[in-house]
Amino acid sequence: MLAFHERLRERGLKSTGPRDDIARVFFELGRHISAEELYAEVRKVNPHVGYATIYRTLKLLKDCNLLFERHFEEGQARYEVAGEHHHDHFICENCGRIIEFESDEIERMQDSIASKLGVLLTHHKMELYGLCGECRAKKPSR
Ligand SMILES: [Zn+2]
Ligand SMILES: [Zn+2]
């Protein structure tokens, strides 16, 4: 929240009640939340917040580099708190569960591919899709 208020000040914006409520709920929930899910959670705290304010605040958090916007294959955008350690994602095609992982080996291989290609990497997306352990146990055929 401190970082958020700082960025708002830098931009000459005031912190408003609804904006603060949305940001606080977002920072508390943290990971891979959709706008609809955030809306439902924020309404529990502040029933007067509208959907448009949710979108505007998500955009603002993104512009302030406090949020990552992810576009997994399921379609809707998901948001997570930025600034933590880099990680990649596994997405379960059955239940939608998102599992984060890190692999030094994959990161190193990407660097070596980049140097072979003579390119400079700015960022990457590594998304693995399949069945999570739980769904796999329910579908023993796979
Ligand atoms: Zn699953
Ligand atoms: Zn993540």
Side-chain angles (χ1 to χ4, degrees):
M1 280 313 280
L2 228 75
F4 181 52
H5 286 152
E6 238 164 65
R7 303 286 161 87
L8 285 180
R9 258 201 309 279
E10 284 165 16
R11 287 163 181 263
L13 293 168
K14 278 189 187 141
S15 64
T16 64
R19 199 140 67 189
D20 272 13
D21 288 337
I22 295 165
R24 194 173 307 112
V25 170
F26 171 71
F27 288 130
E28 272 164 23
L29 293 172
R31 299 216 161 285
H32 317 125
I33 192 169
S34 70
E36 286 87 29
E37 286 163 359
L38 182 61
Y39 180 61
E41 290 301 319
V42 169
R43 297 281 287 203
K44 292 179 193 166
V45 182
N46 184 343
H48 304 293
V49 170
Y51 210 65
T53 314
I54 299 273
Y55 267 109
R56 272 200 302 272
T57 306
L58 284 171
K59 169 116 189 5
L60 182 65
L61 286 163
K62 191 185 173 190
D63 293 345
C64 293
N65 297 317
L66 296 172
L67 162 157
F68 284 135
E69 186 175 332
R70 309 281 193 194
H71 294 271
F72 301 128
E73 282 179 4
E74 54 160 11
Q76 60 182 344
R78 295 196 166 268
Y79 305 90
E80 66 180 315
V81 179
E84 287 169 49
H85 199 69
H86 171 76
H87 61 268
D88 294 309
H89 298 95
F90 167 88
I91 300 100
C92 177
E93 291 172 314
N94 188 55
C95 72
R97 173 180 313 199
I98 297 162
I99 301 171
E100 300 187 336
F101 66 90
E102 296 166 41
S103 164
D104 292 342
E105 213 176 333
I106 288 174
E107 302 295 324
R108 270 200 305 275
M109 283 178 77
Q110 288 172 156
D111 289 341
S112 97
I113 289 166
S115 80
K116 272 182 206 143
L117 295 174
V119 299
L120 175 71
L121 293 183
T122 54
H123 63 287
H124 71 268
K125 288 185 202 175
M126 166 68 68
E127 291 169 13
L128 304 179
Y129 292 84
L131 285 179
C132 71
E134 229 168 86
C135 289
R136 211 182 150 195
K138 282 185 227 151
K139 292 188 177 180
S141 57
R142 283 176 75 173

